[in-house]
Amino acid sequence: MRVVHYVAVWVGLVILVALELVVFNAGLPPAQARAGIIGLASVAALLVAVFYQHLIREPRGVALLYIAGLLAALGLIIGMVVSLGVQAGLGSF
Amino acid sequence: MEIPLNSVRRWLFTTNHKDVGILYFITSLYFLVVGGALAVLMRLQLMAPGLNILQSAPFNQAVTVHGLVMVLWFLSPLAFAFANYFVPLQIGARDLAFPRLNAMSYWFYLFGGLLAAIGFFTPGGAIDTGWTVYAPLNTAKYSPQLGVTLGGAGLLMLIASVTMSTVNFLVTIFRSRAPGMTLWRMPIYTWGILLTVFMMLFAFPSVAAGVIMLAADRLLGTLYFSSVEGGAILWDHLFWFFGHPEVYIVLVPGLVAIAEVLPVFARKPLYGKKILITALIIGSIMSFMVWAHHMFVTGIDPGFRKFMTITTETISIPFGVATLAFILTLVGASIRFTTPMLFALGGVALFIIGGITGVFNSSVALDYYLRGTYWIVAHFHYTLVGGATTGLIAALYYWWPKMTGRMFNEKLGKLHFIVYMIGFNLLYFPMHFLIDMPRRVFTYPAGMGWELPNMLATMGTIVFALSWLILFINLYQSLRKGEPAGNNPWGAWSLEWLVPSPPPRHNYDGQPVVKADGTITIQPIPANGGHHIHETHYSKWPLFISLGMFVTFLGVGLGLPVLLLGALILIGSIVGWAKEKFIAVEPAEGERWPFANVERVRLGVWTLLFGEVVLFGALIGSYIFVRINSATWPAPGEFLNPMEGAINTFILVTSSLTAILALAGAKSGNQGLLRGGLIATFILGFIFLFNKGREWSELFSHGITFSSGLPATTYYITTGAHGMHVAAGLAVLIYLIIHAFKGRITKENHAGLEGFDLYWHFVDIVWLFLFPLFYLI
Ligand code: HEM
Ligand SMILES: [Cu+2]
């Protein structure tokens, strides 16, 4: 990858973080604001992983294991939340 | 550095995988004796009602240290003694991928164990919370004594050791296989170790997060486990998300040891090797989906319980398949009943019993009655000791001649087996009848019908302990006057039996090559201009770094001077490590699927990061958990300033850009870009930390401290853990900058920088989530 590509990714990241602030200040209902902000953050994280960590060039095994770690982490988080009872989970977060 | 083979220094400074394997072997048996002595004391106390051999406090310490030591410092390390020694041999490698790191894993393991055990000599005694270290008993309020903090420190050192091993074994197995040694052709023990380290990689970070949070609670006064919103259930999740995979982490090496031994003495190949491997893979994955069966009686959501019941009942299927593969290997075979074979067969039999009792536990209705009784103690000893340990004893007898070059006494071996089986069953079978007797209680009243099983169990303990004595005598005699073993005393067919016993330091005089039909040849290494590969086999820094860490942790208890001394040793020896020229040659060719193009250091860093994902997942999960569980929570912007967070986010994102530009500079030979990029990255990282520090001190000056409620607790510890990662990155950057300015980072040689970049971008990714989670929502 060339230097301009890296800079382009950086511009993308800055815009995404700025958008998070926009959504934050837009006065949306909390649930929508949260979904939007976390969505934007996830896209930004994905950009870093794919272009700065070069997942795009690595063998698929690397991405698979990355995802495996992510699934383990998500499984733990979801399990923790669900164990509190579905209602609690939806109610206050 | 060359060191005479018969000197003490060899063992202190060695980095050779076989030496390290022997160190693990001896140390794990040492911890077995420690844990065993504690067990004997407990069983003497429980021999009859109302005895006074161990009072409640010492009993609690004994039961705790026994559990921790046996699982974490004896059983797994014994498996990794064999893994260290035999995985490189079995795949045709010269050593592990990172020999120095391997030595350091060992020393961290040893010093961690000493930290945990040293508690016995402090006022208040050793850690006494049970091996599960349940909250809120683990907090300063209920367990203020130093022993618990030391136990936590010991655990942290062990977790660090395990992490280093995990990275090392994964990179080795994926990158150092001999030509023709495809994954499917790997011997079953190596396969089992591969799966084991995968489970370790994703399981240990969860408990690591738990212990870090506990340490913060105890030392800084945060509220994770002393609050009701976190408390017992939070710890349960973090502990058992690790804990259930952990029981498979100790089980799988035992099972594959059995699978290694059975075919050799049944004189036929392992039945359904691919099916067995597939079953173990499924079992390993599923082991992450059953953890809450340890929480059935805690009042968690019934739907969630039902889910975990189903997964738990399903997980016995893969292990049933494994057992079936063993039995079918034996059908129609002409069996040689040698000592290793007897232990392998015994292991299968005992494991079946333990598996059956496990299925009972997975029923929520039954578990209400079984939970916390001696039935559970029987269950897990049949699996952990009966299955896993017995399997590893089979491996011990099987590989002893290879490791020492000498045979053991077969008659004594058989005697060991008989006494072992009698002792084990006399010890644990009666516990099935103590189905209503609570475990972890130091005494019991007469007249409950518990006398006879307890008496039998204590007699069994004595017999069982004697059986180990027979083993040790046998090994001692073998070392002194055993028959020479020759290369292949058992007529086995995996690679390690092709070389002399014990194998030479570099393992193979040539390059092993595996052909499609499974035959193995050792081909002479093409004489590269005729000069010999020059490898390093010794380094003093692994020992010194571990010692520094040990003293630092001691300092947490003993005070600032000790702490500073430890930090000094630690920093000095890290610098020494960084400056040392250590050569570990990677094989020029071999099987590397699926990571052929991922260079060794990079794959190592990747592996570390996969585990880090779970570490931060656990920290973030804990934050979400306590937040949902709290009645109120400050609105976004109420105590943190979103703009400050955003500015820091821009700074860190930009540092990712400068880091990648530095790498691009190295790759294109543009030294200016390389150096400028590294320095810019350092400055930006430093500003990020500086801003964080300012933010923290501002909060503190407004009276928002670690103990000002869970919002503060979670904010400080989660971003603090992230900040430590940034700081560690800055330390590595200093090293890289020095190297860059000495002209040592070049087009051809930038593996270290590439590894750093991966790490730095990961730290950036974590912050990309922490920023919105803490500042915006
Ligand atoms: C065959 C499938 C298995 C099933 C279905 C199963 C099920 C269970 C269940 C439901 C419990 C919780 C019981 C309670 O605390 O009330 C339990 C406890 C336990 N199991 Fe298993 N298990 C199985 C195999 C194993 C294996 C293979 C090991 C170790 C090698 C093991 C080690 C343990 C340990 C250490 C505990 C107790 C932990 C504690 O509370 O201290 N289990 N098992
Ligand atoms: Cu379990």
Side-chain angles (χ1 to χ4, degrees):
Chain A
M1 289 203 355
R2 303 229 319 273
V3 169
V4 280
H5 296 141
Y6 292 133
V7 177
V9 171
W10 174 76
V11 173
L13 291 171
V14 171
I15 294 176
L16 284 166
V17 175
L19 281 177
E20 286 176 31
L21 290 174
V22 171
V23 175
F24 174 68
N25 288 316
L28 296 174
Q32 285 176 28
R34 282 169 189 166
I37 290 171
I38 295 296
L40 289 166
S42 307
V43 177
L46 198 67
L47 279 183
V48 176
V50 170
F51 295 109
Y52 284 179
Q53 294 189 309
H54 294 129
L55 269 190
I56 189 167
R57 277 206 314 245
E58 295 284 31
R60 213 175 309 151
V62 172
L64 279 178
L65 288 178
Y66 218 155
I67 293 171
L70 207 61
L71 284 179
L74 280 176
L76 171 61
I77 296 174
I78 293 172
M80 289 168 95
V81 170
V82 171
S83 76
L84 286 174
V86 180
Q87 264 176 340
L90 293 180
S92 57
F93 201 95
Chain B
M1 180 158 50
E2 265 315 316
I3 290 180
L5 286 183
N6 56 4
S7 68
V8 178
R9 268 165 56 225
R10 166 190 176 186
W11 295 103
L12 295 178
F13 300 153
T14 183
T15 60
N16 182 274
H17 72 100
K18 294 186 290 298
D19 287 355
V20 175
I22 288 172
L23 288 173
Y24 266 106
F25 182 77
I26 295 169
T27 312
S28 64
L29 291 179
Y30 164 75
F31 279 115
L32 167 78
V33 173
V34 172
L38 293 171
V40 171
L41 287 176
M42 288 189 292
R43 276 313 326 165
L44 287 176
Q45 162 67 19
L46 292 172
M47 179 165 62
L51 292 185
N52 267 325
I53 298 162
L54 280 187
Q55 295 273 312
S56 59
F59 186 92
N60 289 347
Q61 294 168 34
V63 83
T64 304
V65 177
H66 164 77
L68 286 170
V69 159
M70 286 306 205
V71 175
L72 296 170
W73 274 279
F74 157 61
L75 194 39
S76 250
L78 180 60
F80 274 81
F82 298 130
N84 259 287
Y85 205 103
F86 289 105
V87 164
L89 280 164
Q90 288 199 326
I91 62 175
R94 299 169 70 87
D95 204 321
L96 285 168
F98 307 109
R100 268 196 309 183
L101 198 65
N102 190 35
M104 197 150 83
S105 308
Y106 167 74
W107 293 110
F108 264 65
Y109 150 66
L110 174 65
F111 282 121
L114 294 181
L115 270 181
I118 258 176
F120 279 116
F121 307 103
T122 59
I127 183 167
D128 64 350
T129 54
W131 84 282
T132 46
V133 199
Y134 281 139
L137 179 61
N138 57 10
T139 57
K141 180 168 174 200
Y142 300 105
S143 303
Q145 70 274 35
L146 188 58
V148 180
T149 307
L150 286 172
L155 270 176
L156 277 181
M157 278 196 86
L158 183 89
I159 294 168
S161 155
V162 165
T163 309
M164 292 183 255
S165 284
T166 303
V167 169
N168 217 340
F169 275 94
L170 279 172
V171 176
T172 305
I173 293 176
F174 280 120
R175 294 211 33 108
S176 303
R177 276 172 285 143
M181 182 56 78
T182 59
L183 282 181
W184 281 124
R185 283 187 205 145
M186 284 195 318
I188 191 76
Y189 193 76
T190 296
W191 253 110
I193 292 301
L194 177 62
L195 295 177
T196 304
V197 291
F198 265 127
M199 286 190 281
M200 286 177 163
L201 182 63
F202 296 129
F204 271 88
S206 171
V207 75
V211 175
I212 290 169
M213 287 153 53
L214 177 60
D217 274 13
R218 294 180 63 88
L219 300 173
L220 306 176
T222 54
L223 303 171
Y224 281 111
F225 303 116
S226 47
S227 60
V228 281
E229 294 85 357
I233 306 286
L234 178 61
W235 177 266
D236 265 17
H237 277 300
L238 296 173
F239 184 84
W240 286 115
F241 187 81
F242 145 81
H244 188 86
E246 169 64 13
V247 303
Y248 288 0
I249 286 165
V250 294
L251 172 70
V252 165
L255 283 189
V256 292
I258 291 174
E260 190 80 40
V261 169
L262 282 183
V264 170
F265 298 99
R267 287 185 264 230
K268 52 193 275 230
L270 182 61
Y271 184 92
K273 181 179 166 191
K274 286 192 184 179
I275 299 176
L276 173 63
I277 292 171
T278 313
L280 289 179
I281 293 175
I282 294 174
S284 307
I285 295 173
M286 286 200 63
S287 73
F288 288 88
M289 299 159 65
V290 298
W291 80 90
H293 64 218
H294 297 276
M295 305 164 67
F296 279 160
V297 300
T298 56
I300 51 175
D301 180 70
F304 184 55
R305 272 194 327 212
K306 207 171 283 170
F307 172 78
M308 287 282 169
T309 302
I310 293 168
T311 52
T312 302
E313 271 158 17
T314 321
I315 203 173
S316 37
I317 296 173
F319 290 96
V321 171
T323 318
L324 217 61
F326 295 159
I327 292 170
L328 289 174
T329 304
L330 298 172
V331 170
S334 62
I335 297 173
R336 288 181 287 169
F337 288 99
T338 57
T339 304
M341 185 61 164
L342 288 173
F343 275 97
L345 295 171
V348 177
L350 297 179
F351 177 65
I352 291 175
I353 301 180
I356 291 174
T357 51
V359 177
F360 286 92
N361 304 345
S362 60
S363 147
V364 176
L366 285 177
D367 195 47
Y368 263 92
Y369 296 97
L370 301 174
R371 171 96 213 164
T373 67
Y374 270 86
W375 166 277
I376 300 294
V377 179
H379 157 68
F380 65 74
H381 282 90
Y382 266 88
T383 50
L384 289 166
V385 185
T389 309
T390 313
L392 289 178
I393 299 175
L396 191 163
Y397 279 113
Y398 175 65
W399 276 322
W400 176 264
K402 176 55 63 185
M403 294 168 72
T404 62
R406 292 182 183 273
M407 298 304 290
F408 50 84
N409 181 321
E410 189 56 43
K411 280 213 188 73
L412 266 186
K414 292 203 166 93
L415 179 69
H416 174 204
F417 176 72
I418 294 169
V419 179
Y420 180 96
M421 289 302 272
I422 294 175
F424 178 89
N425 285 296
L426 191 58
L427 166 52
Y428 294 114
F429 201 78
M431 291 186 190
H432 290 116
F433 300 97
L434 294 173
I435 200 162
D436 51 350
M437 175 165 157
R439 61 190 272 215
R440 292 178 176 170
V441 177
F442 79 103
T443 191
Y444 53 94
M448 304 286 290
W450 296 337
E451 285 91 341
L452 180 62
N454 271 304
M455 178 54 86
L456 290 175
T458 301
M459 312 230 303
T461 307
I462 307 300
V463 180
F464 193 57
L466 277 179
S467 80
W468 288 92
L469 199 62
I470 301 173
L471 169 71
F472 293 142
I473 292 172
N474 201 350
L475 298 187
Y476 178 72
Q477 285 189 350
S478 160
L479 280 181
R480 291 200 48 207
K481 50 178 207 233
E483 300 276 313
N487 285 10
N488 188 0
W490 311 120
W493 46 79
S494 46
L495 259 74
E496 72 267 30
W497 302 103
L498 291 174
V499 290
S501 308
R505 189 158 71 179
H506 51 275
N507 292 350
Y508 296 97
D509 288 322
Q511 173 65 63
V513 175
V514 186
K515 296 231 192 67
D517 61 359
T519 53
I520 305 160
T521 54
I522 303 208
Q523 296 174 354
I525 291 183
N528 273 336
H531 62 84
H532 197 69
I533 308 172
H534 202 80
E535 288 165 314
T536 322
H537 292 286
Y538 297 99
S539 169
K540 49 180 174 300
W541 303 115
L543 169 61
F544 289 161
I545 292 180
S546 317
L547 184 72
M549 199 78 220
F550 174 72
V551 178
T552 308
F553 274 132
L554 272 187
V556 173
L558 298 182
L560 202 59
V562 182
L563 192 95
L564 287 178
L565 175 70
L568 212 66
I569 303 176
L570 189 61
I571 293 169
S573 38
I574 289 176
V575 171
W577 168 297
K579 291 177 79 167
E580 184 175 60
K581 192 162 156 42
F582 190 94
I583 303 167
V585 181
E586 199 176 31
E589 50 166 346
E591 301 297 328
R592 287 175 184 166
W593 188 87
F595 296 115
N597 300 320
V598 192
E599 186 277 336
R600 178 166 56 172
V601 174
R602 195 160 97 233
L603 187 56
V605 176
W606 268 127
T607 312
L608 176 72
L609 295 184
F610 302 147
E612 292 260 25
V613 173
V614 181
L615 179 80
F616 280 102
L619 285 168
I620 292 173
S622 306
Y623 159 67
I624 298 178
F625 181 89
V626 295
R627 186 164 164 176
I628 291 178
N629 222 4
S630 296
T632 60
W633 199 267
E638 203 168 297
F639 87 107
L640 294 170
N641 181 349
M643 250 355 260
E644 268 184 45
I647 290 169
N648 243 356
T649 310
F650 289 126
I651 290 171
L652 207 59
V653 163
T654 310
S655 81
S656 250
L657 175 67
T658 54
I660 198 83
L661 290 182
L663 181 61
K667 282 182 176 169
S668 62
N670 181 342
Q671 287 284 327
L673 188 58
L674 164 69
R675 292 171 190 180
L678 286 178
I679 290 181
T681 310
F682 185 88
I683 293 173
L684 290 166
F686 189 82
I687 296 178
F688 176 89
L689 276 189
F690 183 80
N691 284 344
K692 275 250 82 76
R694 237 190 27 207
E695 201 175 20
W696 279 37
S697 61
E698 209 158 292
L699 287 171
F700 266 88
S701 70
H702 285 90
I704 301 179
T705 65
F706 294 115
S707 6
S708 311
L710 283 165
T713 285
T714 49
Y715 165 76
Y716 281 125
I717 299 310
T718 315
T719 64
H722 175 264
M724 300 283 263
H725 279 73
V726 176
L730 291 184
V732 177
L733 260 176
I734 295 178
Y735 168 83
L736 288 173
I737 289 173
I738 295 175
H739 267 236
F741 276 86
K742 285 186 174 165
R744 294 213 198 109
I745 302 181
T746 60
K747 228 172 170 168
E748 295 75 32
N749 188 2
H750 51 257
L753 174 59
E754 205 162 17
F756 165 78
D757 256 68
L758 278 185
Y759 171 85
W760 192 256
H761 301 315
F762 176 77
V763 173
D764 191 15
I765 289 177
V766 171
W767 183 257
L768 282 173
F769 285 110
L770 294 190
F771 164 57
L773 280 172
F774 283 95
Y775 292 82
L776 301 184
I777 66 180

